[in-house]
Amino acid sequence: MPVILVMGLFYLYPVVDVFRYAFTDLTLLGGEGHYTLSTFANVLTRPELLQILWVTFIFTAGSVIGQQVIGLAMALVVVRSEKRHLFGTTILRTTALIAWVVPGIAGGIIWKMLFNEAPFGGLNSLLRLTGMAPVQWLSDPDVVMWSVVLSNIWRGTAFSMVVMYAALKAIDPSLYEAAEVDGASARQKLFFVTLPQLRPAILVNMILVTIQTLNTFDAIISLTGGGPGRATEVLSLYTFNVVFRNYDLAAGSVLSILMLAISLGLALIYAAFLPKEEKA
């Protein structure tokens, strides 16, 4: 019972307090604040909210799909390289993990230097060497979102690789032996043995990566600050701006509840596709 009380206070009290603030008009500038329902209506009817949600959807979908696909590809390469004792397997695994441990702010600064549109910018220098025209990575509204997605994929792919690597190692080798006896090609083994066996790991990984991506704002604030305009202002960054730049604590609480509702909704959708245990 004492453990339950401590855990409840530690994890539930902040959430309960956010719900309480959402029903007030509190600001960070002081004052007593009053309980009201108008904060919900004012925040949820803001004209910029739809654009913020659309930007958040593009950023989250691009990041989750990219991290899943590249993470799975890297895990397959590592597992096959280990079986054949190829040189460089450990280097590949370690290189990916380095990106994972880089703090979000530092990752944003690293990519800001790579995306620099000046002549010494990292990626544009490579494009010039190959004879291609430079790209306005951070100032073109049609390109900047994919620049942000690319930087987030770079940072988060290692987590997906670790999850997929563990799941691949747990697949029963006899399934592949049976497929080889039946004359299955490498592509058929991937689609009819590997991917079905990875289904629970893929769905659980999608839940974790989606929630992590929805809460990402440190890498974006250091890379673009949400601009140009509001081209990369995701919901988490918008919430940060509302609370710490507009000092509107009540509105930030409503946006936090909206983020919580979206995260829970997506988690429940993913969980619905998890394999169900057969009843005895």
Side-chain angles (χ1 to χ4, degrees):
M1 183 59 74
V3 174
I4 295 175
L5 287 175
V6 171
M7 297 292 283
L9 283 173
F10 188 73
Y11 286 104
L12 290 180
Y13 176 73
V15 177
V16 172
D17 230 22
V18 166
F19 275 88
R20 185 172 68 83
Y21 289 154
F23 289 97
T24 67
D25 57 0
L26 279 170
T27 71
L28 291 180
L29 299 177
E32 295 182 357
H34 303 88
Y35 286 97
T36 176
L37 293 175
S38 62
T39 305
F40 268 94
N42 293 336
V43 173
L44 297 180
T45 56
R46 289 183 177 183
E48 70 271 20
L49 188 58
L50 279 180
Q51 182 194 349
I52 299 292
L53 290 175
W54 174 247
V55 169
T56 305
F57 169 75
I58 297 295
F59 174 69
T60 304
S63 299
V64 171
I65 293 172
Q67 290 179 24
Q68 285 276 18
V69 173
I70 299 175
L72 175 59
M74 291 178 68
L76 286 169
V77 170
V78 170
V79 170
R80 292 188 180 184
S81 299
E82 285 180 348
K83 286 181 180 176
R84 298 177 183 179
H85 305 288
L86 296 179
F87 173 77
T89 305
T90 305
I91 296 175
L92 172 64
R93 202 168 44 199
T94 307
T95 303
L97 291 174
I98 288 174
W100 189 26
V101 300
V102 172
I105 292 288
I109 294 171
I110 291 171
W111 278 95
K112 193 167 187 174
M113 291 188 287
L114 290 173
F115 286 134
N116 197 310
E117 296 166 15
F120 55 81
L123 295 181
N124 277 344
S125 296
L126 292 176
L127 291 177
R128 286 192 182 90
L129 286 175
T130 57
M132 299 175 68
V135 176
Q136 296 178 322
W137 299 101
L138 300 179
S139 59
D140 187 339
D142 295 327
V143 176
V144 66
M145 172 52 72
W146 303 112
S147 302
V148 174
V149 169
L150 177 62
S151 69
N152 196 51
I153 290 174
W154 170 82
R155 183 163 171 250
T157 295
F159 179 79
S160 297
M161 185 194 74
V162 171
V163 173
M164 295 302 158
Y165 175 81
L168 283 170
K169 299 288 277 186
I171 296 177
D172 189 349
S174 63
L175 295 175
Y176 292 107
E177 294 171 2
E180 288 179 2
V181 170
D182 292 338
S185 64
R187 183 179 178 185
Q188 289 172 323
K189 282 189 281 187
L190 173 64
F191 283 100
F192 297 109
V193 178
T194 303
L195 291 181
Q197 292 296 314
L198 291 180
R199 183 181 166 195
I202 290 173
L203 289 168
V204 170
N205 189 49
M206 285 184 73
I207 294 173
L208 298 175
V209 172
T210 300
I211 294 173
Q212 184 182 28
T213 304
L214 280 172
N215 288 288
T216 299
F217 85 97
D218 48 359
I220 299 176
I221 200 172
S222 60
L223 180 59
T224 66
R230 283 188 152 157
T232 57
E233 190 175 10
V234 295
L235 186 56
S236 55
L237 180 57
Y238 180 57
T239 304
F240 175 86
N241 290 333
V242 166
V243 175
F244 294 103
R245 292 184 176 170
N246 299 342
Y247 309 112
D248 195 339
L249 184 60
S253 300
V254 173
L255 292 169
S256 299
I257 292 172
L258 179 60
M259 287 177 58
L260 177 64
I262 293 173
S263 299
L264 285 175
L266 291 174
L268 289 174
I269 291 172
Y270 291 149
F273 291 96
L274 284 170
K276 303 292 188 298
E277 292 185 5
E278 296 182 1
K279 296 182 179 178

